[in-house]
Amino acid sequence: MAPRLPASSVCLRCCRQWNKASFSTTTTVRQQDKQAGLPAAPPPPAGYARLTNRALISLAGRDSTPFLQGMVTQNMIMGKEPIRTARRTGSYAAFLNAHGRVLHDVFIYPVTGGNGSGSSEEPEWLIEVDKAEVKNLLKHLKKHKLRSKFTMRELDESERSIWASWNENAEPRWAAYNIESDLPSQLSASSSIVGCMDTRAPGFGARLLTPGTDDLRTHFPDCSLLAGNEVDLTTYHLRRIFHGVAEGQGEIIRESALPMESNMDAARAIDFRKGCYVGQELTIRTHHTGVVRKRILPVQLYDNEPNASPPSEKPVYNPTANLHMPPPGANISRVSARKGRSAGKFLGGIGNVGLALCRLEMMTDIKLTGESSQYDPSQEFKVSRDSEEGESSCPAAGDVKVRAILPAWLRMYIEAGGARGSHAAASEGLRARDLVEQLEEETEQESRHRGT
């Protein structure tokens, strides 16, 4: 008979962790299967990817524009009285519930008469959403439709393809038109392509909808308009993680995530000057009086090996890293014996990088108020299987160390005061002006070239 250990030799918390580990064989195998087939290298500086994890919903009819105006965080009606028109460019936005929590992160694209079944009298919008959430979003729309005059339907996969395209060396020319929404898109009214600039991170690229299932290169044979080669969906997700961009309800948790904690203010998904919409009250109150203490950030995962500490400027992807991927929703806590509040929640990852909802004043050197910061650069954090909040120095199978990385663009946005900061507003205005001026110069050069 095996000897019994003294009760004082093992803490109760460790017992719980060891019991969980002993019954987690199936979970570990599934995680290893998910880690198989990782990208062999970081994402290329230029490329494009077919987003098979996203789907489209069509809203068409005379009341579709005012209906969306009262439902989403983005402003769908531009201009001032007495001349107000429907938005003519696509945009990032969100549907919220009545308590201001995110239901769906979406891209919304206007479709003109030449682009689809709609006409100037009967506007049409395409809503891009997480494919797993299509039925939930349709149910949400039907719940609020009442007597509004419009139709809605899910598009078949064969009707349109959804693409992400990027070129870190040069922004798409027509992206300049999407910064100021009252400017028309460079895509002509007769074009079968719909698109917009992806504003979730600087230089993140563009979103494009093409008819049918043909490769994107079929529609953009000119390399100056479409750079790089097609990459798989996992490589696209890896690029999102590098930029700190969350997507879908696997990362922006349905009815739990707050829009500003999900960086939707920095991504320009929220128009704080528009009228009422579902969930506006909490959002606008946080904007004017609150402090956003948690945000989604990229994180580096590492273990206890020597020199395994990650850099502080950006994640480093290592496809050969032998790490156990923590489960989504796992608690992040300090590596210490003293109990305290949770430092955040792990959302998901690839290889040795991931995204997490991080408490800024604990995991970064950002100071949000005049109070003393809780940040200690020597303090390490771990992602634990244990879902309970707290801290422990006891070893546990499956624990992985984690370090939050604050992207430079997000740091500047926070330190400038967020959407309320005059510096942030000024920089956006200057960036828009520079891009428009650049576009005018390119157009003039093309005209001269045609003349010769």
Side-chain angles (χ1 to χ4, degrees):
M1 185 174 178
R4 297 179 61 185
L5 293 174
S8 60
S9 63
V10 181
C11 73
L12 183 59
R13 184 180 181 87
C14 290
C15 289
R16 290 199 302 266
Q17 292 173 335
W18 288 337
N19 286 336
K20 283 187 177 183
S22 63
F23 292 103
S24 62
T25 304
T26 303
T27 303
T28 302
V29 170
R30 288 175 180 170
Q31 290 171 357
Q32 290 173 348
D33 289 342
K34 290 181 70 175
Q35 291 292 87
L38 294 179
Y48 59 96
R50 188 191 298 266
L51 306 185
T52 55
N53 63 322
R54 307 285 286 183
L56 294 170
I57 294 174
S58 169
L59 262 64
R62 70 184 188 187
D63 292 340
S64 59
T65 302
F67 175 79
L68 282 176
Q69 179 74 352
M71 293 294 294
V72 300
T73 57
Q74 188 59 267
N75 200 341
M76 309 309 296
I77 301 177
M78 310 306 296
K80 298 180 179 179
E81 296 290 353
I83 302 175
R84 303 198 72 192
T85 59
R87 188 182 188 96
R88 288 179 286 173
T89 56
S91 60
Y92 183 52
F95 288 88
L96 309 181
N97 65 12
H99 303 289
R101 305 280 176 170
V102 178
L103 291 177
H104 309 278
D105 63 308
V106 299
F107 282 87
I108 303 179
Y109 309 89
V111 181
T112 63
N115 290 340
S117 59
S119 64
S120 58
E121 291 78 20
E122 297 290 336
E124 180 181 358
W125 302 86
L126 294 179
I127 305 174
E128 178 202 321
V129 66
D130 188 336
K131 181 180 285 187
E133 294 291 327
V134 170
K135 288 183 173 56
N136 287 330
L137 179 52
L138 283 172
K139 183 178 179 181
H140 180 69
L141 296 175
K142 291 175 182 177
K143 176 183 175 181
H144 291 84
K145 182 177 183 291
L146 302 179
R147 296 185 179 180
S148 299
K149 303 297 181 181
F150 66 87
T151 61
M152 66 181 82
R153 70 179 181 92
E154 177 185 0
L155 268 65
D156 188 82
E157 293 181 2
S158 62
E159 293 185 66
R160 284 187 180 268
S161 297
I162 307 171
W163 303 89
S165 172
W166 65 90
N167 183 358
E168 297 177 1
N169 299 319
E171 293 188 81
R173 283 186 49 209
W174 59 273
Y177 287 113
N178 292 266
I179 292 179
E180 297 292 339
S181 298
D182 55 349
L183 293 174
S185 171
Q186 185 179 349
L187 297 171
S188 66
S190 60
S191 173
S192 59
I193 302 172
V194 180
C196 71
M197 183 179 181
D198 194 335
T199 58
R200 293 178 294 177
F204 194 59
R207 216 69 163 192
L208 295 168
L209 306 183
T210 58
T213 58
D214 293 337
D215 186 86
L216 186 59
R217 184 69 67 184
T218 305
H219 304 277
F220 290 92
D222 188 351
C223 292
S224 64
L225 298 176
L226 182 65
N229 299 314
E230 183 176 358
V231 301
D232 58 28
L233 188 61
T234 306
T235 301
Y236 163 76
H237 289 320
L238 185 59
R239 186 171 185 269
R240 283 197 303 101
I241 291 173
F242 278 14
H243 286 77
V245 173
E247 183 177 275
Q249 276 49 76
E251 296 169 352
I252 304 176
I253 309 301
R254 176 182 171 86
E255 297 188 275
S256 174
L258 290 168
M260 293 187 185
E261 291 182 350
S262 304
N263 300 327
M264 289 185 173
D265 52 342
R268 288 178 291 183
I270 307 171
D271 191 322
F272 294 103
R273 299 167 298 177
K274 68 172 288 188
C276 295
Y277 58 88
V278 177
Q280 182 197 34
E281 183 178 351
L282 177 63
T283 305
I284 202 70
R285 185 166 68 244
T286 303
H287 170 63
H288 287 297
T289 64
V291 176
V292 183
R293 297 188 179 275
K294 293 184 289 184
R295 286 189 180 270
I296 294 178
L297 302 178
V299 294
Q300 184 87 57
L301 305 175
Y302 62 106
D303 53 23
N304 292 314
E305 294 179 4
N307 302 321
S309 180
S312 58
E313 296 182 358
K314 61 180 181 179
V316 174
Y317 174 64
N318 180 10
T320 63
N322 187 20
L323 296 173
H324 292 280
M325 180 60 62
N331 185 57
I332 300 177
S333 59
R334 289 189 177 101
V335 179
S336 69
R338 182 173 55 85
K339 291 186 177 181
R341 61 169 29 173
S342 169
K345 295 289 182 183
F346 183 75
L347 300 174
I350 297 174
N352 65 331
V353 297
L355 291 174
L357 180 63
C358 302
R359 195 172 293 276
L360 295 176
E361 291 180 312
M362 289 181 66
M363 300 188 70
T364 75
D365 59 353
I366 284 287
K367 292 184 178 180
L368 300 174
T369 62
E371 302 173 2
S372 58
S373 174
Q374 305 175 47
Y375 176 70
D376 180 356
S378 64
Q379 177 66 62
E380 290 188 305
F381 296 85
K382 66 176 181 179
V383 189
S384 175
R385 291 181 185 274
D386 195 342
S387 61
E388 296 179 11
E389 295 190 1
E391 301 164 6
S392 173
S393 60
C394 300
D399 284 1
V400 176
K401 290 186 178 179
V402 59
R403 177 172 295 177
I405 298 172
L406 186 61
W409 65 271
L410 188 55
R411 176 185 293 275
M412 293 176 61
Y413 179 83
I414 295 172
E415 291 180 344
R420 293 179 297 167
S422 57
H423 297 293
S427 64
E428 289 296 332
L430 291 173
R431 183 167 177 263
R433 185 195 65 186
D434 292 342
L435 286 173
V436 171
E437 290 177 353
Q438 177 185 350
L439 181 64
E440 291 174 349
E441 292 176 2
E442 292 176 358
T443 304
E444 184 178 353
Q445 290 175 0
E446 286 185 1
S447 300
R448 292 175 182 174
H449 180 70
R450 293 193 189 97
T452 58

